[in-house]
Amino acid sequence: MNHLATYIQSYFNIPSSDIEKIQSFFKPESIKKGDYFLKAGRQCSRLSFLQEGLLRVYTTTATKDVTQWISSKGYMITDLSGLIFQLPSTCNIQALTDCELYSIEREDYNDIGKVIPQWHYLEKLFIAKCFKTLEDRVFTHLAMTAEERYQQFFNWQPELFNQVPLQYIASMLGMTAETLSRLRNKKLNS
C-alpha cells in the first residue's frame, strides 16, 4: 500500500506510525471494467483510494449523462453526502477500467478518531481540500473559456485523453464533444 501511504503523508504530513494505523483500516477491493462502485439512489458507505484504474462519476438526466469527474490512480473516491450524511447518492460511479482500490467503511472511518487523536483535525483538512477542489471547478466553469478549461485539464492530466472516451472529458469540462474535438485539432495543428 505504498501509494496509499504516500497519499496520506502528502495530505496530512503525520508520523509514519500514524500512517500505518490509518492504513490498517483500509481493505483491498477490486472492481471490473463496467462494474459500479456506486449507483444513483444508493447510499455510499465507504471512502476509497484508487490504487489503479479509472472511475467515472456521472449523473443521468432526462436527456443525457453528465460526467462530473474522472478519478484516476492516486486519488480518493466517495460520495460525501452518503459517507457523511448517509443520504442516497445522486450520481453513479462506474469503472472505466479494471480498478484496484483500498476502501474504508463508514464505521471504521468514524472510529479512526479513537486510534489517531488528531484525526478530526486531519479529516477537517481533507474535507477542506475537497471543498477547495470543488470551488476551483466552479470557478473554471464560470470564468474560463472552453479553450482555457481544455488547456488547463490537458496540462493537468494529458494521459486521460488517450484512456477515456472524449465525450466523457467534454462533458466534465462543460462542452460538447464537437467543441472538444475542435479544440484538440486546433492545438495539434498549432
Side-chain angles (χ1 to χ4, degrees):
M1 279 201 276
N2 269 343
H3 293 291
L4 178 58
T6 302
Y7 180 88
I8 293 169
Q9 182 64 39
S10 72
Y11 252 80
F12 304 121
N13 193 24
I14 59 175
S16 56
S17 59
D18 286 345
I19 291 173
E20 290 173 19
K21 290 175 189 173
I22 292 170
Q23 277 189 142
S24 70
F25 284 94
F26 285 80
K27 306 299 179 230
E29 178 182 3
S30 296
I31 301 176
K32 294 289 183 196
K33 178 180 179 177
D35 288 348
Y36 285 84
F37 175 87
L38 176 66
K39 286 190 175 183
R42 295 187 182 164
Q43 190 182 101
C44 187
S45 63
R46 67 193 189 280
L47 169 71
S48 298
F49 174 79
L50 188 53
Q51 179 80 14
E52 282 295 329
L54 297 168
L55 291 165
R56 174 181 173 230
V57 181
Y58 71 96
T59 301
T60 301
T61 69
T63 57
K64 62 183 176 179
D65 288 347
V66 178
T67 300
Q68 297 170 305
W69 190 253
I70 297 167
S71 190
S72 57
K73 175 182 176 177
Y75 289 93
M76 291 288 195
I77 188 84
T78 193
D79 176 65
L80 280 175
S81 63
L83 184 69
I84 304 298
F85 302 113
Q86 300 181 11
L87 297 172
S89 180
T90 59
C91 65
N92 297 289
I93 303 176
Q94 186 178 28
L96 297 177
T97 63
D98 289 348
C99 296
E100 297 298 324
L101 305 103
Y102 289 99
S103 299
I104 182 170
E105 294 296 323
R106 179 186 302 112
E107 296 78 21
D108 289 334
Y109 178 84
N110 291 334
D111 285 344
I112 290 179
K114 296 174 186 170
V115 178
I116 309 292
Q118 76 273 24
W119 174 252
H120 298 294
Y121 171 73
L122 300 174
E123 178 185 41
K124 185 173 152 182
L125 285 178
F126 172 73
I127 292 173
K129 285 188 180 198
C130 292
F131 188 74
K132 174 73 172 110
T133 300
L134 180 61
E135 283 182 327
D136 291 345
R137 293 238 11 246
V138 169
F139 174 78
T140 62
H141 277 36
L142 295 175
M144 296 176 123
T145 66
E147 187 169 359
E148 290 168 332
R149 289 193 309 272
Y150 165 83
Q151 192 59 53
Q152 181 186 51
F153 188 73
F154 183 82
N155 291 342
W156 179 54
Q157 288 196 308
E159 68 283 354
L160 287 185
F161 286 82
N162 295 321
Q163 299 172 336
V164 174
L166 293 181
Q167 72 263 23
Y168 297 163
I169 294 173
S171 176
M172 189 176 81
L173 294 176
M175 62 184 74
T176 65
E178 294 77 19
T179 300
L180 178 65
S181 182
R182 182 179 48 77
L183 292 171
R184 258 186 106 194
N185 288 334
K186 181 178 175 183
K187 290 292 181 188
L188 291 173
N189 294 323
S190 61

